[in-house]
Amino acid sequence: MDEWKPNPTVKPHKKRSWYLAWKYKLMNQRALRKLCQTGAVLFLLVTVIVNIKLILDTRRAAYEEEEESAQDYDDEMLNVEAPRHPVNNKKVLDVEVYSSRSKVYVAVDGTTVLEDEAREQGRGIHVIVLNQATGHVMAKRVFDTYSPHEDEAMVLFLNMVARGRILIFTIKDEGSFHLKETAKNVLKSLGSQVAPFLSWRDMWTFVGKKGGEVYGEKHAKSPALSTWGDPVLLKTEVHLTSVEDAECHWPDTELNRRRRRFCSKVEGYGSVCSCKDPTPIEFNPDPLKDNKVFDVPVAVIAGNRPNYLYRMLRSLLSAQGVNPQMITVFIDGYYEEPMDVVELFGLSGIQHTPISIKNARVSQHYKASLTATFNLFPDAKFAVVLEEDLDISVDFFSFLSQSIHLLEEDESLYCISAWNDQGYEHTAEDPSLLYRVETMPGLGWVLRKSLYKDELEPKWPTPEKLWDWDMWMRMPEQRKGRECIIPDISRSYHFGIVGLNMNGYFHEAYFKKHKFNTVPNVQLKNVESLRKDNYETEIHRLLGEAEVLDHSKNPCEDSFVPDTEGKVYVMFIRMEQEADFTTWTQLAKCFHIWDLDVRGNHKGLWRLFRKKNHFLVVGVPASPYSYKKPSSVTPIYMEPPAKEEGAVAVPAVAAAEQT
Amino acid sequence: MQKINRNVVLALLSLTSLIFLLFQLCYYKFYLSQKNGTAFSKVRGSQSDQDSTRWHVVRKFLGLTSGHNIPVYLIDPLILGLVDKDIEQIKNSPDGPNPECKYFCTPRDFTTFALLDKTWKHEVGLFRTAEKMGFQWLKIINKDPRLDGMDDLSGMEIPLHYIFKLASHAIHLVVFYERSGNFLWHGPLRLKQHMDRKFVPFRKLHFGRYPGAYEKPELLLVSIDDLKVQIPKNPSSFLEEMSHSRFLECRYREARAFFQLYPDDASLDAMEFRKKAKSLLHLAALTLNNLGVKFWLSSGTCLGWYRQCNVIPHSKDVDLGIFIRDYKADIIPAFQNAGLPLKHKFGKVEDSLELSFQGEGDVKLDIFFFYDEDDHIWNGGTQVKSGKKFKYLFPKFTLCWTEFVELKVHVPCETLQYVEANYGPEWKVPVKTWDWKSSPFNVQDNGVWPIDEWDNVIQIY
């Protein structure tokens, strides 16, 4: 170290130091690399951990959400009653069917689903429809095929039943007299061997699947005209199918869920339950502009005629301006099927424990329904009252919307009704024309709340008084000289042919030919002229322009009214005092309009159409309009016919229209 | 070579993981925003998680209802109380951005909303959407009281309350129904057997302990905490109303039993009297409500309500009670303006005040003023010919709403004690001859008016 020789060692030193430096550098780099490597590894680890945490978090959140909705489902299940199992989960049903002169019964798995041994009742072919998957009874009908036309109803019904349903037939007493070829062929097509040869007083039972196999058939021939065939008892087994096979595969919507619930319970409603292209249960008719009756509650009064109710609600929900939320169906009695129909359409229904009997029961049902309506809609000033056997015109609400202000403002009005008692095909002409009448027609009408609450409700006939509510409402104590507004062409159509005061003959004679408006958006003519004083002006104007008919002719003859169009004619009949309707009743009879009691009059004046001419009938001298009678004209007088003819086979005159 | 490879691999891996991390972060943020909304992400830091959860749940619920066109309005007493303090500011800045979550983040278990039944169609779709959004829900249904008063009608049960629960917060939706008498009613919340009692802490609910009666509120659309929501136009008066909104249903079943025992008088006279009594009561209620004087059905009218849910046809007058502290000098002129002349005035404001007005057709309106003592309440009576004073004692009571002859009126909540005090334990038996001086169960002699005061305390018109 004392003598430093730089030169020779420089290089190596240098070399070495470079090497060292390099090595150091290299080592440094290695450390750096190590550092980098460790860093990278650490970073990777952190990433992995963070990633795992994130994944876990997301998972948990998602899972929680899932769990919540799963719990929800549980919750909902708790609210639902225990699901109904198909009968014993069994795949086979034992069916017993009995047919005899005085008794029929059907038992499914030991449970009697039909038993009828009442005398003088239930004659004809009883039909029961079972659900092929559950064995539940979906429909029960009896067709009195001893009487005419009932076989047509049966064919109609059988055609409506969905394929695959189980049909059970049994005859009580007699079922072949008016069983026509068409009906027999339908039965044959269902697989019956005997049906084509069914004859007088034969006993017959049959069980088969619509469009499928036959499970059994028994028949006992009547040996002679005066005797019945021996009772027959058919015992057979029916194989159930799975629920999936029994149901249609409609898209899963709210509407279809209602439809499915309905269709798995009841039968006989035709295309609403057809798998392919079922008829809609929501109608969405055009809304009405400036609808004044949108917030008016609609009370539908119903009994146990679910098929009628179905038809009625369809037409009601198709009417323009309808507001389904305001509709309540009041069912008289705890019947399931009408309630099913109500639920099918998503409406609200209320059941009413029957009080009293017959007409008084209907009357109590009306009272409860009206009171409930005004309780449920405390804001309402009016209520629309409908019955289950009415078709509702497409412009029903438009008609009311245009006229309801009159009921609000004119104290002399009692109601607005959609029904013209005298509005038949041959006596009504003008959809835009309204009348004032002293009678209360009902059949789709508007009731003022104040009238009900202040006058009618407190003194409504009590159950022990077996009164008709409508007859009671027509009494002078209630009506107090007030009038109703009606259209010339009715906005409702009464289609019911079974009911308390109703039968086929009666319907055919008085209701079938009733005119019914089908034109939408009819603009009513001169609504203001319906006010009390304006109406008198209007009548005087009409009488002024009216042509007096030739009173020497017979008014019942066609030639009484000239073959013109659009003219106004007037005739005068004898009417000694206000309540003398002798001539009018005879005239109504020969005009083929309502003659069972007096309807449609206004101060001794009737307005209708004859051969497309406006036709006025004035009762002289009782009517204030008698002054129009030229002195040369003698009012027409018509005698009531002799007693025997008068006693037509019509039920109580009170029959009127309600059911 | 190997070393380089390792480096490259490491670098690549790091890069990938970085990208992956970024991606994850983005995803997480996206997920959060989807779940809870972003509007408060800025504020999140300053609020605890709990607070923002409440806000988020309310926001989701409002989204749910507006999506189904269901017009709910806020009736939560806690929030309305806070809102009421700043009401002017809130009204004036309908859309202004709010710096912080001031109302909906307040600590609480529930947020209460109201819904008018007639403004929506009961639809299943709402609940399906709610489920999809993560809500658990509970529906409380019960009999429809509007049909309860009617014999033998059975309608569908109606929904009274809904509870929507999400995470730690729940929305209580109270369904209001319109009743005859032009008011809104909500039902009591009663759990049925199978229901989950621990679904939410039911005891802490603000509504549902009793049924309630409310006026139809005017609503106001406001924006609070960045949420658009309807509230009652005047929150403080709503809160005031809420504090004594308890509603009593008439005892329809007992009334039916009563009529089984004592059939109703269906005569024309009875009907006429009921009609007049009803219109007199309507007129009296209108007059007193306009003056802002609180009153209740008293004596025979109260008994009629309690026993038979109707006016007693042989009672011949209408009786109301008013606390003397609510007395206003305007009462007499107001009734006179309404067409009800003063018939007599007994006593004075300090003692035993009683007013009688002549209604249409011989029906009298009697107004008794009630005096509050420490342990009882009393009203007074005066005999005209002798100047004798009487005192009728009642146990203390509070006031509840009820519906009577299509009117929302007060009755004592403790009706039974009130009626029993007045009519004794035999109040269920109709009595046709009634002497106001001796028949009441709770009558006491109270001395005689000094003769020099007679002109003042016995006024007959």
Side-chain angles (χ1 to χ4, degrees):
Chain A
M1 286 282 182
D2 20 329
E3 51 168 320
W4 188 66
K5 290 174 195 167
N7 227 11
T9 48
V10 165
K11 221 179 179 179
H13 182 246
K14 235 186 181 174
K15 221 179 186 176
R16 192 171 174 217
S17 70
W18 181 83
Y19 171 76
L20 272 176
W22 187 79
K23 198 182 173 185
Y24 183 75
K25 216 169 139 188
L26 201 86
M27 258 174 68
N28 234 350
Q29 213 177 30
R30 191 178 281 164
L32 192 85
R33 213 169 56 200
K34 267 256 168 75
L35 205 78
C36 279
Q37 276 178 0
T38 336
V41 166
L42 265 172
F43 182 71
L44 271 172
L45 264 173
V46 169
T47 322
V48 165
I49 288 166
V50 168
N51 271 332
I52 287 173
K53 190 181 169 332
L54 282 178
I55 286 167
L56 281 179
D57 274 5
T58 332
R59 266 279 181 81
R60 204 187 51 213
Y63 178 72
E64 261 173 15
E65 226 168 51
E66 244 169 53
E67 197 180 38
E68 268 166 15
S69 52
Q71 267 176 21
D72 227 335
Y73 181 69
D74 285 349
D75 224 315
E76 202 187 6
M77 285 303 289
L78 276 175
N79 290 328
V80 179
E81 292 166 33
R84 277 207 265 168
H85 294 285
V87 185
N88 304 337
N89 268 338
K90 240 172 64 173
K91 286 275 169 251
V92 179
L93 285 181
D94 296 319
V95 178
E96 266 181 53
V97 195
Y98 184 77
S99 162
S100 72
R101 177 195 168 183
S102 57
K103 175 181 179 174
V104 285
Y105 77 81
V106 173
V108 176
D109 261 352
T111 314
T112 309
V113 295
L114 165 75
E115 186 161 26
D116 184 350
E117 45 185 336
R119 293 164 64 90
E120 321 269 323
Q121 258 183 38
R123 176 183 57 201
I125 303 181
H126 290 249
V127 186
I128 283 184
V129 184
L130 300 183
N131 186 306
Q132 68 271 41
T134 60
H136 287 145
V137 176
M138 299 182 73
K140 239 195 260 191
R141 298 282 191 283
V142 51
F143 300 97
D144 180 12
T145 43
Y146 171 81
S147 310
H149 303 304
E150 285 278 307
D151 61 335
E152 294 160 22
M154 183 173 80
V155 169
L156 208 66
F157 174 74
L158 291 176
N159 284 338
M160 279 200 282
V161 171
R163 270 177 73 90
R165 300 280 185 236
I166 293 149
L167 290 163
I168 303 174
F169 295 84
T170 176
I171 287 183
K172 183 179 176 188
D173 191 357
E174 214 299 311
S176 73
F177 189 54
H178 273 283
L179 191 67
K180 300 270 166 50
E181 214 51 45
T182 339
K184 286 182 175 173
N185 284 337
V186 169
L187 293 177
K188 192 180 159 196
S189 72
L190 290 170
S192 167
Q193 309 270 323
V194 182
F197 317 105
L198 266 183
S199 60
W200 177 248
R201 289 183 173 172
D202 284 358
M203 293 299 129
W204 173 65
T205 59
F206 173 73
V207 181
K209 177 178 256 184
K210 186 164 177 190
E213 57 203 295
V214 173
Y215 298 107
E217 182 167 30
K218 264 193 180 173
H219 174 236
K221 199 138 189 60
S222 156
L225 271 185
S226 58
T227 56
W228 284 262
D230 293 329
V232 291
L233 175 63
L234 169 67
K235 288 187 182 187
T236 181
E237 285 186 343
V238 170
H239 293 270
L240 293 177
T241 55
S242 72
V243 177
E244 287 76 45
D245 292 344
E247 279 185 351
C248 297
H249 302 282
W250 297 305
D252 186 34
T253 62
E254 173 57 20
L255 287 181
N256 279 338
R257 231 170 294 152
R258 290 204 316 246
R259 189 195 296 278
R260 183 166 295 127
R261 209 177 307 136
F262 181 77
C263 294
S264 64
K265 272 181 90 175
V266 294
E267 256 297 350
Y269 292 83
S271 54
V272 74
C273 291
S274 69
C275 288
K276 246 200 207 162
D277 205 13
T279 122
I281 53 172
E282 203 179 47
F283 307 94
N284 302 316
D286 296 340
L288 272 187
K289 250 190 220 157
D290 192 21
N291 187 352
K292 302 234 170 47
V293 290
F294 190 75
D295 287 331
V296 174
V298 178
V300 179
I301 315 286
N304 189 18
R305 296 180 292 175
N307 284 280
Y308 282 10
L309 184 61
Y310 174 78
R311 171 169 167 182
M312 189 273 164
L313 291 178
R314 283 191 77 90
S315 78
L316 175 63
L317 293 170
S318 311
Q320 290 178 355
V322 67
N323 179 0
Q325 265 180 280
M326 301 303 284
I327 300 174
T328 316
V329 182
F330 293 92
I331 300 162
D332 191 13
Y334 285 91
Y335 302 114
E336 264 186 57
E337 203 168 318
M339 207 58 179
D340 293 333
V341 172
V342 172
E343 281 168 12
L344 171 72
F345 291 113
L347 301 174
S348 58
I350 288 173
Q351 288 167 315
H352 179 217
T353 316
I355 308 171
S356 193
I357 47 161
K358 289 198 176 161
N359 295 341
R361 169 172 168 176
V362 175
S363 175
Q364 292 310 305
H365 182 50
Y366 259 86
K367 183 188 181 188
S369 307
L370 296 177
T371 305
T373 302
F374 289 120
N375 276 356
L376 290 171
F377 301 97
D379 274 356
K381 282 194 215 147
F382 307 99
V384 175
V385 185
L386 300 172
E387 287 155 39
E388 67 182 343
D389 51 4
L390 296 179
D391 279 331
I392 300 304
S393 163
V394 65
D395 80 329
F396 179 77
F397 292 104
S398 150
F399 156 70
L400 294 181
S401 174
Q402 292 175 64
S403 54
I404 196 138
H405 66 282
L406 293 175
L407 194 56
E408 196 168 354
E409 293 154 14
D410 188 346
E411 289 284 312
S412 70
L413 284 180
Y414 198 46
C415 76
I416 296 176
S417 174
W419 179 259
N420 177 6
D421 284 304
Q422 310 296 21
Y424 291 86
E425 290 286 358
H426 59 289
T427 56
E429 213 48 62
D430 186 350
S432 65
L433 184 64
L434 304 180
Y435 302 134
R436 278 178 84 107
V437 296
E438 288 169 17
T439 50
M440 202 217 96
L443 293 178
W445 54 290
V446 185
L447 168 69
R448 201 193 282 131
K449 180 179 182 178
S450 58
L451 170 67
Y452 181 69
K453 280 283 167 191
D454 300 343
E455 300 182 37
L456 302 179
E457 189 187 28
K459 49 178 182 175
W460 198 272
T462 44
E464 66 276 6
K465 298 195 180 104
L466 302 178
W467 287 353
D468 275 313
W469 70 274
D470 55 336
M471 283 297 153
W472 177 78
M473 268 194 78
R474 288 180 185 124
M475 277 154 56
E477 295 91 314
Q478 274 63 251
R479 196 170 59 81
K480 293 180 180 159
R482 287 169 290 192
E483 297 186 297
C484 287
I485 286 184
I486 59 164
D488 180 51
I489 299 183
S490 299
R491 262 48 176 198
S492 60
Y493 179 77
H494 185 268
F495 62 76
I497 54 167
V498 290
L500 189 54
N501 295 320
M502 191 51 69
N503 59 47
Y505 166 79
F506 191 57
H507 185 263
E508 191 129 348
Y510 289 103
F511 291 103
K512 206 167 177 188
K513 295 264 166 64
H514 235 283
K515 198 153 186 169
F516 176 59
N517 180 52
T518 50
V519 184
N521 287 319
V522 176
Q523 190 63 42
L524 300 180
K525 187 158 70 184
N526 214 355
V527 178
E528 288 310 305
S529 73
L530 269 295
R531 289 179 196 272
K532 192 175 188 220
D533 298 334
N534 298 359
Y535 195 66
E536 295 312 312
T537 320
E538 173 73 11
I539 297 289
H540 287 296
R541 188 190 64 74
L542 261 179
L543 285 169
E545 83 182 56
E547 205 171 296
V548 180
L549 287 166
D550 182 355
H551 281 57
S552 61
K553 286 187 180 166
N554 180 356
C556 290
E557 262 166 38
D558 197 51
S559 59
F560 185 66
V561 177
D563 292 318
T564 53
E565 265 188 37
K567 291 210 156 198
V568 185
Y569 293 114
V570 61
M571 78 174 280
F572 299 92
I573 60 170
R574 197 196 291 179
M575 187 173 165
E576 294 300 342
Q577 14 84 21
E578 237 180 276
D580 171 22
F581 298 116
T582 328
T583 305
W584 166 254
T585 308
Q586 297 317 310
L587 195 63
K589 210 162 250 152
C590 74
F591 283 173
H592 297 289
I593 56 179
W594 185 271
D595 59 359
L596 298 181
D597 55 2
V598 181
R599 302 282 176 95
N601 50 316
H602 167 84
K603 298 190 180 175
L605 166 85
W606 288 264
R607 296 175 65 180
L608 39 112
F609 280 86
R610 303 281 287 152
K611 298 183 184 169
K612 307 206 170 184
N613 301 295
H614 203 28
F615 182 80
L616 312 174
V617 181
V618 177
V620 177
S623 169
Y625 311 123
S626 305
Y627 78 95
K628 272 299 295 181
K629 184 183 77 67
S631 50
S632 58
V633 168
T634 319
I636 287 175
Y637 176 67
M638 293 165 85
E639 292 253 10
K643 263 273 142 65
E644 45 183 351
E645 211 191 312
V648 197
V650 165
V653 171
E657 59 279 7
Q658 45 79 325
T659 55
Chain B
M1 200 54 190
Q2 253 188 345
K3 274 176 189 171
I4 294 162
N5 249 349
R6 224 160 82 188
N7 287 339
V8 171
V9 168
L10 266 174
L12 265 175
L13 269 174
S14 309
L15 198 73
T16 331
S17 71
L18 194 74
I19 291 167
F20 202 65
L21 189 71
L22 280 172
F23 170 73
Q24 281 274 328
L25 274 170
C26 281
Y27 176 76
Y28 191 60
K29 204 175 161 194
F30 172 72
Y31 174 80
L32 269 185
S33 75
Q34 195 191 33
K35 198 178 175 203
N36 293 329
T38 46
F40 262 92
S41 47
K42 295 165 266 172
V43 202
R44 275 180 70 88
S46 63
Q47 304 277 345
S48 83
D49 265 8
Q50 279 280 310
D51 290 354
S52 62
T53 307
R54 291 184 200 107
W55 183 88
H56 285 302
V57 171
V58 171
R59 197 187 73 96
K60 278 190 131 186
F61 177 74
L62 288 173
L64 173 72
T65 51
S66 65
H68 284 261
N69 271 328
I70 300 172
V72 298
Y73 59 95
L74 184 76
I75 52 167
D76 195 278
L78 216 80
I79 299 174
L80 283 185
L82 294 172
V83 165
D84 190 44
K85 285 179 199 153
D86 312 329
I87 186 76
E88 285 312 315
Q89 191 193 335
I90 290 169
K91 272 184 191 167
N92 293 335
S93 58
D95 292 308
N98 281 299
E100 53 186 335
C101 178
K102 197 171 164 190
Y103 309 100
F104 284 118
C105 295
T106 324
R108 67 197 188 279
D109 293 307
F110 300 95
T111 310
T112 319
F113 284 92
L115 168 63
L116 249 176
D117 166 69
K118 73 165 187 184
T119 55
W120 79 303
K121 218 176 139 191
H122 307 199
E123 46 164 346
V124 194
L126 173 75
F127 302 103
R128 301 177 107 203
T129 324
E131 279 167 22
K132 276 187 201 135
M133 291 171 92
F135 280 108
Q136 281 177 272
W137 56 274
L138 182 77
K139 170 167 148 183
I140 281 118
I141 56 171
N142 218 323
K143 275 195 303 208
D144 190 337
R146 298 167 299 179
L147 299 176
D148 226 24
M150 309 205 38
D151 296 351
D152 318 299
L153 277 196
S154 60
M156 297 163 175
E157 295 203 318
I158 51 170
L160 299 180
H161 297 263
Y162 292 100
I163 293 171
F164 293 86
K165 187 168 82 172
L166 183 69
S168 59
H169 196 65
I171 304 284
H172 179 196
L173 182 61
V174 184
V175 188
F176 282 82
Y177 290 85
E178 277 184 12
R179 299 271 305 245
S180 311
N182 200 27
F183 67 98
L184 299 182
W185 171 91
H186 76 75
L189 192 152
R190 300 288 175 267
L191 297 175
K192 298 214 168 139
Q193 213 83 109
H194 58 261
M195 284 182 179
D196 179 8
R197 261 136 235 282
K198 294 203 175 96
F199 186 71
V200 286
F202 287 102
R203 286 178 178 284
K204 292 186 186 169
L205 289 174
H206 297 290
F207 288 80
R209 190 175 166 82
Y210 301 113
Y214 291 81
E215 292 300 311
K216 291 177 190 169
E218 268 188 87
L219 298 179
L220 185 69
L221 184 68
V222 293
S223 166
I224 40 183
D225 293 342
D226 279 345
L227 296 178
K228 281 215 181 298
V229 60
Q230 299 236 61
I231 59 167
K233 200 167 187 177
N234 189 341
S236 62
S237 69
F238 178 85
L239 292 172
E240 215 278 316
E241 195 182 6
M242 184 188 159
S243 63
H244 45 254
S245 63
R246 187 178 164 194
F247 180 86
L248 288 182
E249 202 65 67
C250 199
R251 302 151 72 243
Y252 294 111
R253 205 166 347 133
E254 286 83 352
R256 271 201 284 279
F258 173 82
F259 283 127
Q260 293 277 314
L261 224 54
Y262 310 98
D264 200 11
D265 184 353
S267 68
L268 211 65
D269 281 354
M271 208 192 77
E272 278 302 310
F273 173 74
R274 278 187 169 149
K275 207 174 137 183
K276 282 178 199 155
K278 179 181 164 183
S279 66
L280 181 60
L281 193 57
H282 274 251
L283 189 58
L286 184 72
T287 312
L288 290 171
N289 289 340
N290 282 344
L291 288 174
V293 173
K294 199 194 273 181
F295 69 95
W296 65 90
L297 303 183
S298 189
S299 310
T301 311
C302 183
L303 178 67
W305 170 78
Y306 191 65
R307 187 171 68 186
Q308 49 208 70
C309 299
N310 206 338
V311 174
I312 302 177
H314 55 261
S315 59
K316 301 298 168 213
D317 53 14
V318 171
D319 305 311
L320 301 180
I322 293 177
F323 284 118
I324 195 68
R325 60 169 181 266
D326 294 329
Y327 173 79
K328 281 182 184 167
D330 302 348
I331 291 178
I332 297 173
F335 273 108
Q336 277 164 339
N337 286 340
L340 301 175
L342 185 66
K343 197 172 177 219
H344 58 241
K345 178 185 172 191
F346 296 146
K348 47 189 180 179
V349 175
E350 300 78 40
D351 185 10
S352 303
L353 184 64
E354 178 191 342
L355 301 174
S356 257
F357 297 93
Q358 186 59 55
E360 179 208 349
D362 274 359
V363 186
K364 197 159 57 100
L365 173 71
D366 288 331
I367 299 182
F368 304 103
F369 288 86
F370 282 68
Y371 296 80
D372 228 331
E373 302 290 338
D374 287 341
D375 60 343
H376 68 277
I377 293 174
W378 63 275
N379 71 306
T382 301
Q383 191 179 22
V384 177
K385 60 172 197 259
S386 64
K388 269 192 195 162
K389 288 163 73 185
F390 299 92
K391 199 174 191 179
Y392 305 87
L393 267 57
F394 293 90
K396 288 226 164 198
F397 57 85
T398 49
L399 292 180
C400 279
W401 289 113
T402 193
E403 182 195 318
F404 185 61
V405 292
E406 290 162 64
L407 207 57
K408 176 190 165 209
V409 285
H410 275 127
V411 288
C413 297
E414 298 79 10
T415 328
L416 181 61
Q417 282 103 298
Y418 188 85
V419 168
E420 271 192 342
N422 209 179
Y423 295 95
E426 294 297 306
W427 58 270
K428 278 188 183 170
V429 184
V431 179
K432 293 218 171 168
T433 49
W434 182 260
D435 180 8
W436 59 272
K437 301 178 293 298
S438 58
S439 305
F441 204 69
N442 55 343
V443 67
Q444 283 183 5
D445 284 337
N446 192 21
V448 184
W449 289 106
I451 299 219
D452 56 331
E453 275 193 64
W454 280 29
D455 279 352
N456 183 33
V457 300
I458 306 179
Q459 297 182 21
I460 300 175
Y461 299 91

